[in-house]
Structure formats: C-alpha cells, structure tokens
C-alpha cells in the first residue's frame, strides 16, 4: 500500500517549510491530509444537506472512549444566529460569511438523560476526567469531519473563541447543562482569492520523541522553524515569527479573551471538573 | 467532487447499523473513514521508520489553536518499556503485542521552555483553558494519524487508560512538567483472525442538531440504537446494549480507574486547571 511519489514528497516539504524533508512512504489519503490549510474566506454557495450528512458520517466514524460518543454538533445556517454567534466569538466575520457554522459540543448530558430515564446515578460526569473525555471525543469527531469536508472540495477553519463566552453561547444554541461548545467550525466553498497557503509546522524532530521525551533534541530545531514561519508570514503580508506569537498568546490571563473564567463557568454548567 | 456509489452507501449503513441509511454525497476519503474500526490484535511485523514519519506528517497537518502546536508524541517500541506502560494502563496486553505504542502528550512545556529562554512570563498555562487547548491540539493531531496509518494498511486502538496513573506514566517516559499523556495509540498490522468489525454508532438524528439543540428529537432514536449495538455485540461474543454500558462506565468515581484524581495530579504536574 506504500509508494514514493515526487509530488507528495514535495507536499511534505511544504508542510514543514523544509525542501529537504521527504517522505519514504505515503498514500493518496496522506497526500490529501498534507494539503490541509485553514480557510477564512468563503463563496456564498451553500453546503448541501447531502454534504452535511457525509461530513457527519465521517465524524461518527472516529474513535470514541468506551463508545460513549460524548459529543453533539449543532449546524447553524440562519444568518441572524450566525451574527449573534460571531458577536460572542471575537466578531470573526467569517462566521457570518460561511454558509454553515458547525458548533461542536462536548455532551455529557445525553448520557445523563439516559441515566435519569433509567433511575440510575451518573456521578462520574462531575470529574475533570469526564470533561476531558468529552472534549477528546468531540475533537476526534471534528477532525474526521475536516478531512471529509476537504475531500468534497469544501474548506473550514476552527473557532476556539466559542469558549470566550460559553454561557451566552449555550443560551444562543439552547445547549443543556453538562454540555459545552468546545470549538466552532466555519464551513463553505473556499474563495480562491484568499491569500493563504499551507502553513509550515514544527519539524518532526520537535514533536516526535523516541522511547522517552528528549527536550534538548526537540528544541534544537526551533530557531530554524522561527525563520520558516517568518518567511511564510512575510509572503502573506503578516509579521512576526513563531516565538513572539507563542509568548504573546500565552503570556497571562489577559491574553485569554475571557477564557481564564472557563473553569468557574463549566462548574455553573454542571461540569465542575473535580 | 461528489458522487453516489452503491458500495459506499452500504458502508454508511454499516457505520450506523442501519441498512436504510444512505449517503447522497461521498468521496474516496470518506469511504476510507467509514471503514474505521479499532484493532486490538496485531501481527508481529514492525512498523517501519518511513511509515512512522508519514503518520507524524499527517498529524502535523491537523489544525492547531493559534499555531501553538501544544502536543508531542513519544514512539515506544522497546518491549520492556511497553510492558511497564501496559502495567500502568490496566494491563491491556495489546500494548505489549503492538510493535509500536504511540503516547500522545498535551505539551505546554515546549512553549514554557521557549519563554524561559527568552526571559518572559508564560502564566496562561495555569488555566483549565490551556489544558483543554493542549488536549484539543493533541486529539486533532492523533485523529489525523489514525486516518493516515489506516491508509497504509495499519490498524490501531486508542488507550485512555494512560490517564489512570499519569505520574508513573510521566516517569516511565521522562515527560517534563506542564505535560501529560492524554491517550496512547497501539499501532501495528491487524491480525486478520481478530473477531471485530465496524461498530455501529448513534444515528445522525442523535448527534446532529439543526440551528439549536433539541434533546427530544435527539433521544428518540436511542432505543433503536440499543438494539443495533446489542445485535453487534451478540455477533461478536459480547453481551449488553449501549445503555447499560454507559450507565456502568459513568456511574461514579469508582468506575474511573483512578482518574477521579486527575485534577490533583495535573496540578502537581504544573497544570493546575485554574
């Protein structure tokens, strides 16, 4: 099932911003994955019902912890509702422009309703473990959805800012307790005029460890990566390299857009993260 | 890019355990995703270095919040180390049998080391938001890895039990503070003798909501799903339906295999989830 292919080797090089990086094994599916980029400009063409169902079938095909399937997805197409959600998520305009906004929800409430109907306790949802389990199930499903929608010629971008105001977001979507919007996904047909491309990632030596974690080896390639990302940014009218962006993004609570209150909010929503 | 195909329609029906479910749009990539199943029995054939690099390149191609790339992966092949990790993760024997055990790590320490070298504060890692961000980045990357490895003829199974004893797991792998193993992934060539197939998932009506969350519509299909999962279990020598398994798995702290202590442990590891 493996083969080498000069086109694909080149795609792996683009992925890492490193012309010398080549893959010794690949597949058509991996070639497809290597081409991923976030899309933030969309044509008005709607996403069809058939496309939506195919994307959800891919999401359903992801693994799930103990088959609990602790996720739900809300498909939003109503312009007024998209505008309200955009207002709550840092006013990002592509939420309004995209014909479809998928809100991915870590959902422990479905299981809780099941327990209530059966007159049984379901106390494990109070622990951080269960919140993480729901978030993991949700992320696995959503990533499968992204791979699927790109195979249909669609594009998307994740929106973490749905965690800026989780209670207002839950109100706007009628989310039950014991559930929280983990991220949004703006979906549509990519506008070919958008100035964006495959963004280089950290080299494999920085993320892949052998047998045990080795910080020295991992960090040796970070300065070269800073240069690669700065070159990508310059080519697309952006400034800065990786290091300064990381340091700004994680400096402190003020940089979190309100998400420093997430734990208290989750507690009020029935997920106390004990 | 879309087409209908009777073979694929059948695969979507298998995915939901519902012969009447058909897809009106699909692609070769979606057909590939619909075939996913967890593999818990492996041949001794090793995973090659070329295959590992291709799988990691797919993982690197997933989206990541603000390009922080807050994940790492430790590739374990040493039999003694796999045995130790298996002992810590509910003695699951496929961890030892699989030629490759990938441990996926939510890693805020790389960014922290970057800040230390630059003499800057990096205080946002103390918040639950940052732990979730790391877990999300890790899950997106790992799901891309699963899709990729299956395209190379390999199989895998996620191992959430790496969260049963996070500190001992970190010691065995030399993980730094501000990092935690989120899940393992046992990888290898599937043993064709394994008695397992594509497991039916909740119907789309249970997970896909339109505009707002609708618990009544979502839960209407759960009893039919219980019957479908019970039929799958009977066909593979297992007992029970979905409801009883969910209720047992989430009944209370005692069912969490030690993971009810996860929050305290993360705090000791430098991720206090404020």
């Amino acid at each position: 099932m493996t083969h080498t292919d000069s086109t694909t080797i080149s795609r792996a090089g683009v992925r890492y911003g490193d012309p010398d990086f080549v893959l010794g094994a690949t597949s058509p599916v991996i070639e497809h994955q290597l081409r991923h980029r976030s899309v933030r400009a969309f044509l008005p063409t709607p996403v069809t019902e058939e496309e939506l169902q195919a994307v959800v079938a891919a999401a359903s095909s992801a693994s799930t912890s103990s088959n609990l399937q602790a996720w739900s997805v809300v498909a939003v197409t109503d312009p007024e509702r998209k505008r309200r959600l955009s207002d709550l998520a840092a006013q990002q305009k592509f939420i309004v422009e995209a014909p479809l906004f998928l809100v991915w929800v870590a959902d422990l409430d479905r299981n809780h309703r099941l327990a209530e109907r059966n007159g049984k306790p379901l106390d494990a949802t109070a622990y951080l473990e269960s919140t993480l389990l729901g978030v993991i199930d949700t992320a696995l499903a959503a990533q499968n959805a992204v791979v699927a929608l790109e195979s249909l010629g669609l594009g998307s971008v994740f929106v973490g800012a749905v965690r800026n105001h989780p209670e207002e977001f839950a109100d706007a979507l009628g989310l039950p307790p014991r559930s929280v919007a983990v991220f949004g996904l703006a979906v549509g047909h990519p506008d070919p005029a958008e100035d964006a491309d495959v963004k280089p990632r950290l080299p494999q030596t920085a993320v892949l460890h052998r047998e045990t974690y080795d910080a020295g080896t991992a960090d040796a390639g970070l300065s070269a990566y800073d240069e690669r990302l700065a070159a990508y940014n310059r080519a697309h009218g952006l400034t800065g390299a990786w290091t300064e962006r990381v340091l700004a993004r994680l400096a402190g609570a003020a940089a979190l857009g309100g998400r420093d209150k997430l734990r208290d909010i989750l507690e009020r929503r029935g997920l106390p993260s004990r």
Side-chain angles (χ1 to χ4, degrees), chain A:
Chain A
M1 292 281 285
T2 69
H3 64 276
T4 56
D5 175 314
S6 62
T7 309
T8 303
I9 288 168
S10 162
R11 277 185 196 130
V14 170
R15 170 50 65 203
Y16 289 110
D18 176 4
D20 294 335
F21 186 85
V22 293
L23 285 183
T26 189
S27 71
V29 169
I30 293 171
E31 288 183 53
H32 170 72
Q33 293 175 294
L34 289 170
R35 276 196 297 263
H36 166 77
R37 71 170 177 92
S38 292
V39 171
R40 294 179 178 83
F42 299 97
L43 303 178
T45 321
V47 177
T48 68
E49 176 65 24
E50 290 76 13
E51 288 166 336
L52 174 60
Q53 291 187 17
V55 166
V56 173
S60 291
S61 299
S63 284
T64 155
S65 183
S66 302
N67 200 31
L68 293 175
Q69 307 177 66
W71 63 276
S72 288
V73 62
V74 185
V76 179
T77 59
D78 177 65
E80 279 311 303
R81 187 169 286 107
K82 284 190 294 175
R83 200 174 313 275
R84 169 71 179 145
L85 299 182
S86 170
D87 285 345
L88 292 170
Q91 271 97 28
Q92 294 179 96
K93 72 180 170 63
F94 50 72
I95 297 175
V96 180
E97 286 177 2
L100 174 65
F101 189 56
L102 295 176
V103 183
W104 296 87
V105 177
D107 187 354
L108 280 310
D109 196 59
R110 184 194 300 117
N111 298 329
H112 211 272
R113 295 193 300 270
L114 205 61
E116 278 186 355
R117 284 196 294 272
N118 284 272
K120 299 281 187 182
L122 202 81
D123 298 337
T125 52
Y127 293 89
L128 176 60
E129 159 63 17
S130 296
T131 297
L132 294 186
L133 183 154
V135 167
I136 293 166
D137 271 13
T138 304
L140 299 180
Q143 180 57 30
N144 245 16
V146 168
V147 171
L149 68 87
E150 290 176 348
S151 78
L152 297 172
L154 297 164
S156 66
V157 60
F158 279 99
V159 182
V162 308
R163 301 194 299 276
N164 290 7
H165 301 287
E167 289 173 305
E168 293 82 353
F169 223 83
D171 286 346
L173 296 174
L175 300 184
R178 292 170 291 270
S179 74
V180 63
V182 178
F183 40 67
L185 192 73
V187 182
H189 291 268
D191 180 347
E194 186 184 6
D195 181 16
D197 210 334
V198 169
K199 187 181 285 184
R201 294 286 194 242
L202 286 168
Q204 289 211 345
T205 53
V207 296
L208 172 58
H209 301 254
R210 311 297 181 137
E211 301 300 333
T212 56
Y213 191 104
D214 177 353
T217 302
D219 290 359
L222 295 190
S223 60
Y225 179 64
D226 253 339
E227 290 171 22
R228 286 169 196 156
L229 199 67
Y232 173 90
N233 284 342
R234 274 194 306 276
H236 296 281
L238 304 166
T239 57
W242 190 63
T243 295
E244 61 197 280
R245 290 182 166 233
V246 168
L247 299 186
R249 176 65 171 71
L250 293 174
L256 289 180
R259 296 184 221 170
D260 53 313
K261 301 173 190 72
L262 188 60
R263 184 167 138 71
D264 289 344
I265 293 169
L266 285 183
E267 177 150 8
R268 290 201 292 271
R269 289 194 49 70
L271 294 170
S273 293
R274 249 171 238 154

